[in-house]
Amino acid sequence: MKLLIINGPNLNLLGVREKSVYGTMSYIDLCEYILAEAKKLNVEIEIVQSNSEGEIINFLHNAIGKFQGVIINPGAYTHYSYAIHDAIKAISIKTVEVHLSNIHAREEFRSKSVTAPACVGQISGFGHYGYIMAIMAIMAQLNNSE
Ligand code: DQA
């Protein structure tokens, strides 16, 4: 089983940006943590990050035929990118949305996700562990649909 993790804008600045919200773990440490946990779960993972909407859409398109599942943290695009919503729908690959922070407990504009309706579900507020929860959720979904 091969899963693609896509991280959106500003996530490369984890450990630097708003530490009280996103924690002190750096982006590189987050990636290493995810890869180590995925190994224990016997899942192959590729992690990509972009600050551009078009590049995120290209990552989604290029996942066709290569990945059985996608985990995406679209960053602030979550709240307004209909193009990412459409790309998730277009590729027909089970996708889970992840947020480090609880987007429902912050500013009002963050409580609306336009991308989550295109996904199987959303995990929000569990910090870096949310990515592991998403991996387990996709594995369960894929095993059930076999
Ligand atoms: C985020 C939440 C978004 O509202 C914000 O714009 C981010 C990070 C999260 O992981 O909590 O960049 O997606």
Side-chain angles (χ1 to χ4, degrees):
M1 189 184 296
K2 216 172 160 192
L3 306 181
L4 176 66
I5 299 185
I6 303 174
N7 285 310
N10 300 309
L11 288 160
N12 54 309
L13 289 186
L14 285 180
V16 176
R17 73 184 286 218
E18 299 181 87
K19 290 183 202 163
S20 58
V21 178
Y22 299 113
T24 53
M25 189 185 268
S26 71
Y27 183 68
I28 297 292
D29 287 348
L30 172 72
C31 293
E32 280 172 4
Y33 163 75
I34 295 169
L35 293 173
E37 293 299 312
K39 205 169 175 185
K40 292 183 205 163
L41 293 169
N42 241 330
V43 195
E44 215 181 313
I45 299 273
E46 190 176 320
I47 307 176
V48 291
Q49 190 273 332
S50 176
N51 294 319
S52 316
E53 188 178 28
E55 204 173 350
I56 293 170
I57 292 165
N58 288 337
F59 287 147
L60 287 162
H61 292 180
N62 293 334
I64 296 173
K66 291 195 201 114
F67 296 94
Q68 286 75 55
V70 171
I71 292 161
I72 186 164
N73 182 345
Y77 285 134
T78 304
H79 314 300
Y80 64 96
S81 177
Y82 297 113
I84 292 177
H85 169 113
D86 285 352
I88 296 168
K89 280 267 193 194
I91 61 171
S92 297
I93 300 174
K94 281 187 193 296
T95 299
V96 171
E97 180 169 304
V98 169
H99 297 285
L100 294 157
S101 64
N102 180 355
I103 60 169
H104 305 285
R106 299 180 60 195
E107 301 97 317
E108 207 185 325
F109 76 88
R110 290 187 206 276
S111 64
K112 169 97 182 148
S113 169
V114 301
T115 46
C119 297
V120 180
Q122 181 196 67
I123 294 166
S124 176
F126 295 97
H128 52 269
Y129 186 60
Y131 287 89
I132 314 308
M133 294 166 82
I135 292 171
M136 293 193 287
I138 289 208
M139 284 172 79
Q141 286 268 328
L142 291 173
N143 289 333
N144 282 341
S145 60
E146 261 170 16

